[in-house]
Structure formats: C-alpha cells, structure tokens
Amino acid sequence: MTKGDIAKNNFQNGCNCAQAVLLAFCEDYGMDRDTAMMIAASFGAGMGGLRETCGTVTGANMVIGLAKGKNKAAANGAFRQFAERFREKNGSLVCRELLGIRIKTRLTCADLCKDAGDMLEEILAQ
C-alpha cells in the first residue's frame, strides 16, 4: 500500500484532508498519531474551512517539515517541487478552485489526498 493509498483511506475514515496526509507519514518521522491529528485539525477544508490553501497541500508541507525541517533550503525546495507537481496534475493549490475543478473532473478530496501522499513519497525518497 502506498502512502497515497493510506492518505486516501485516512480521509475516507473521517480525517480532514490535512490530517489524512500528515497521518500517512507522521510515525515515519517520530510524531505520534494523536499529536498529528491535533496539529492538522484546523488545516482541513482550505485552512479552517476558509477554502484557501488545500489541506492536502498544507498537510504535505507539514510532512516536508518533519522530513527536512533541519535544513530550510532543502525543505523549501522539496515543497516547491511538491507544489509544482500538485498544481500541474490537479490545476491549483487552492481548495475553492480545486472544488470547482473537481466538479468537471470527478476527482474527490480523497483522490487529492492520494495524489499528495504519492507525490510526497516520491519526492522524499530522492
């Protein structure tokens, strides 16, 4: 099972999008699941439900911080790489825009969680 599959499953089992992505990776980097759930709680639905930056994107950035946060340049570079790939595949990094695109493409938030997890897994393996 890929990290994307785990993230999608997390979302389908009640996590918000940010929690779903962070939970797929948190234990790999020494963070317990309860802490990850609390940290990412207000980042779903575009940060606090404001439909701004997609929760899968903020969750991914949290994972990158756990993985590469001791080196700011490496963390920023990894996030830029993630953001470019995510935007290229899905059309935006913004929740409200993704929701509009989703209507046309039939992508679900669970699908976006899978995309984020799979992209992160690939980027962090480099």
Side-chain angles (χ1 to χ4, degrees):
M1 184 179 287
T2 69
K3 292 294 188 178
D5 293 328
I6 295 167
K8 182 175 183 174
N9 187 54
N10 290 340
F11 183 83
Q12 291 172 326
N13 286 296
C15 291
N16 73 36
C17 42
Q19 289 171 324
V21 174
L22 181 57
L23 281 177
F25 292 87
C26 67
E27 291 175 332
D28 297 343
Y29 297 103
M31 178 182 281
D32 67 89
R33 293 177 62 82
D34 288 340
T35 301
M37 286 289 286
M38 289 185 288
I39 287 172
S42 66
F43 286 88
M47 296 195 307
L50 295 175
R51 305 290 190 252
E52 296 293 339
T53 303
C54 174
T56 62
V57 174
T58 56
N61 205 11
M62 290 179 213
V63 171
I64 289 168
L66 287 171
K68 298 187 178 285
K70 292 182 179 179
N71 180 328
K72 184 178 173 182
N76 285 342
F79 180 73
R80 286 187 190 113
Q81 184 179 8
F82 171 83
E84 181 180 325
R85 287 185 189 184
F86 190 89
R87 185 183 294 118
E88 184 177 308
K89 181 169 184 185
N90 296 299
S92 182
L93 302 175
V94 177
C95 178
R96 81 173 71 77
E97 293 171 5
L98 289 164
L99 291 173
I101 293 167
R102 185 175 85 165
I103 293 167
K104 297 174 188 172
T105 63
R106 303 247 189 249
L107 282 175
T108 65
C109 291
D111 294 325
L112 296 174
C113 290
K114 178 173 177 23
D115 284 347
D118 287 341
M119 289 175 194
L120 265 178
E121 190 168 35
E122 184 178 314
I123 289 166
L124 295 175
Q126 296 175 357

